[in-house]
Amino acid sequence: MVTMSSLPSPLMCTHSHTRCLRFLSLSLPILHNFRTRPKLFTKSPNPTSLTVRNCGSITAKPSSDIRRTNRTGSEPDEKLHKLRELFVKPGIDIDAYIIPSQDAHQSEFIAECYTRRAYISGFTGSAGTAVVTKDKAALWTDGRYFLQAEKQLSSCWNLMRAGNPGVPTPSEWLNDALAPGGRVGIDPFLFSSDAAEELKEAITTRNHELVYLHDLNLVDEIWGESRPKPPKKPIRIHDLKYAGLDVASKLSSLRSELVDAGSSAIVISMLDEVAWVLNLRGSDVPHSPVMYAYLIVELDGAKLFIDNSKVTPEVMDHLKNAGIELRPYDCILSEIESLAAQGTHLWLDTSSVNAAIANTYKSACEKYTGSLGNKTKGESKIYDNSNVQSGRPTGVHRLSPISLAKAVKNHAELEGMQNSHLRDAAALAQFWVWLEDEIHKDVKLTEVEVADKLLEFRSKQAGFIDTSFDTISGSGANGAIIHYKPEKESCAVVDAKKLFLLDSGAQYVDGTTDITRTVHFGEPTARQKECFTRVLQGHIALDQAVFPESTPGFVLDAFARSSLWKIGLDYRHGTGHGVGAALNVHEGPQGISFRYGNMTPIMIGMIVSNEPGYYEDHAFGIRIENLLYVKEVDTPNRFGGVGYLGFEKLTFVPIQSKLIDLSLLSVAEVDWLNDYHSQVWEKVSPLLDGSARQWLWNNTRPLVKH
């Protein structure tokens, strides 16, 4: 599944990137000597900026699950009218309001009650920013969603295709749309501290003021009683045999990092980081086995801020054994104030911690310093790391050390990923033989029915929990919509005469899968075969890449695009994203993308996707995706004393041979494909019988280049 990590944040200035690009801005040259595996928690330098949104413990659904309602009628206009009426209310008095996508924890999939941007605009893609003034409304999204946004936005919205030449950023647009001295409102819970500061700086060029509306979210006000309710499903323990490290070990390593950084506590707000540290999993967010919570770890204790109704007696014992106290989710700000009053040097990853938390700590620090008679002007030294040894409270601004520790999988996590991928491959083989039989019998199946049947096959596999994202089931032109989600009311019938793209994944108790295959049930055109073959060549090139340690992902991106570039083609998304182990299907800090802002090195034990593609708008889409893990490669030379790395496959599902133009492939590329299919048969056939086993045999036969 393609990710936004390759694309600039539509909210901020042009140098902004998403947090996937900002987990680790390591100041390392590409060939820096990085031969050893990192410590469990690796030190990170100061962060740069990014966006985030707020969340309490509310029902979870991805914004894409909200049904498209009246896109051309009066409903969207009525919502905008009601929103604008609030602009002039006492205590608000704003000229514009910004509605981002994520929650306070930077979640890609969010609770349904926090899908504010989708509610106000009607656009249900997972990435986008809405900006509403008193007379205009505009929505920014990236290249994955241009076609979807065109379909879903009503005429009262202007679609801003972020990243295209000449398209302003939201801050640039606001500077032009508002008269000097305008007031731009935001909910500070919905923005990271860095994002809010960057936005503030960007709009002050026209003397605009950024207004924090702490106590009122304007979209919530007009949403009213129809807003969804919170989830109450219990959280569960992630078994040590899958986690590989116990909570005590993770906390001990984290506390060592605190000491080294000169801090005495850290706020952890990313949901997958909280889940990983505590070896817990939840179901507050669809597709992502996480729970809404904050975690504060101090040198001598830890507090988990969560809805207590989700904590079972078993989980309570698990937390007590690790020395973790429970606090209500909504008490996070009062605890931040208390930490400042105690003189705590608080580690804040301001690229993910929301502005409400960061500002609460800053204000409490100023109050504390003032009470000592030492208050200085402006921002003083509260955020100066040189102050960490003093008695006054100090913010230590660094990226979360958990991000990299989580990304570098241990042996148990890798083993779980390998095992779950084989079971997933068996389910896919059963699915594909079923689908081909149905299509050849001229059974009319919709894209939704196909996705539902795949879920049925997967759900029969041991350890299955959920899908890892909304299945992208696209026939013909719908395959060109990069993050297409079929809806029952409007989806297409799978056409045997058109390309069919299926991007899907699953959450198992021991691992997370993500795979894309593109197939044709009839006879593909020469154009389709050439495009598919060039995408395959890019896939093979990246799979076979060997590169020095400390190489960042953007260096590898051109491997996957080169064959397309040779005939003037390309694709508008990243080539690879990180994947969690029984966690989020999109995980940082690593990524493989043409955006060069992410300097995170690709490291042994990391998992990345390999998913080049090609899309012809209103015609067809092609993508081939496997998951890979990073391994050390034994090269005959070690220039400069550095080691070299490469990839090992996790995904084992056949690639359709009828779509391949063998005349374009080299002998080495044919050998790669035959070797891959040999591995698919060897690893997956023992899990199959009957027609599915025969299908696997038929689709893994070696090809011969004449």
Side-chain angles (χ1 to χ4, degrees), residues 479-480 501 527 531 535 564 569-571 573 612-616 620-623:
L501 186 152
R527 169 72 171 178
C531 293
V535 170
L564 287 167
L569 300 180
D570 205 345
Y571 49 95
H573 59 72
Y614 174 67
Y615 312 89
E616 289 198 355
F620 62 83
I622 295 167
R623 188 160 62 250

Side-chain angles (χ1 to χ4, degrees), residues 350-593:
T350 52
S351 68
S352 61
V353 169
N354 64 54
I357 289 177
N359 282 358
T360 295
Y361 181 71
K362 176 183 174 182
S363 298
C365 287
E366 290 172 343
K367 180 179 179 182
Y368 175 87
T369 305
S371 70
L372 295 178
N374 294 324
K375 185 175 182 180
T376 57
K377 295 181 180 180
E379 294 191 3
S380 72
K381 292 186 178 181
I382 289 172
Y383 289 159
D384 185 347
N385 286 352
S386 67
N387 211 30
V388 297
Q389 300 303 326
S390 69
R392 60 174 64 99
T394 308
V396 178
H397 285 186
R398 296 184 178 218
L399 292 172
S400 169
I402 300 166
S403 174
L404 188 59
K406 175 170 56 65
V408 177
K409 283 20 178 204
N410 60 49
H411 175 75
E413 290 172 323
L414 277 177
E415 184 177 44
M417 290 292 281
Q418 290 170 322
N419 292 336
S420 60
H421 273 79
L422 294 182
R423 300 196 305 276
D424 201 57
L428 281 158
Q430 293 164 348
F431 162 79
W432 282 116
V433 69
W434 168 83
L435 181 57
E436 288 183 5
D437 286 347
E438 295 296 289
I439 296 294
H440 292 151
K441 290 186 291 187
D442 291 328
V443 176
K444 301 301 181 185
L445 295 168
T446 68
E447 295 162 329
V448 167
E449 288 170 336
V450 168
D452 289 346
K453 191 67 176 183
L454 175 56
L455 173 59
E456 180 183 320
F457 281 113
R458 276 195 167 117
S459 64
K460 296 175 182 177
Q461 291 296 321
F464 175 84
I465 294 173
D466 192 4
T467 53
S468 56
F469 55 93
D470 288 324
T471 296
I472 300 170
S473 170
S475 179
N478 290 337
I481 303 173
I482 297 171
H483 267 199
Y484 174 70
K485 180 183 184 296
E487 301 284 357
K488 288 182 179 179
E489 299 83 1
S490 58
C491 69
V493 170
V494 176
D495 191 333
K497 297 179 181 179
K498 296 179 180 178
L499 284 174
F500 176 64
L501 186 152
L502 186 72
D503 186 348
S504 67
Q507 294 286 0
Y508 295 94
V509 69
D510 52 345
T512 303
T513 70
D514 182 2
I515 173 176
T516 308
R517 290 293 182 266
T518 306
V519 302
H520 201 297
F521 301 105
E523 289 301 321
T525 66
R527 169 72 171 178
Q528 291 169 341
K529 291 178 70 171
E530 179 181 16
C531 293
F532 182 91
T533 305
R534 291 188 177 275
V535 170
L536 175 60
Q537 287 176 306
H539 181 94
I540 293 171
L542 181 58
D543 180 272
Q544 292 184 314
V546 175
F547 48 93
E549 291 174 329
S550 299
T551 299
F554 73 82
V555 175
L556 304 178
D557 185 72
F559 284 60
R561 297 180 193 268
S562 178
S563 184
L564 287 167
W565 285 349
K566 288 175 181 176
I567 59 169
L569 300 180
D570 205 345
Y571 49 95
R572 291 192 189 104
H573 59 72
T575 297
H577 57 83
V579 179
L583 264 177
N584 290 353
V585 72
H586 289 166
E587 176 182 84
Q590 75 277 16
I592 300 174
S593 162

Side-chain angles (χ1 to χ4, degrees), residues 665-681:
L665 293 186
S666 68
V667 172
E669 288 168 334
V670 173
D671 288 344
W672 179 94
L673 186 64
N674 288 338
D675 179 68
Y676 176 60
H677 282 158
S678 176
Q679 292 183 62
V680 171
W681 172 255

Side-chain angles (χ1 to χ4, degrees), residues 34 36-43 253 256-257 260 404-405 408:
F34 208 137
T36 58
R37 287 174 67 90
K39 294 166 60 180
L40 176 58
F41 294 96
T42 300
K43 298 178 186 177
S253 296
S256 294
E257 289 294 320
D260 290 345
L404 188 59
V408 177

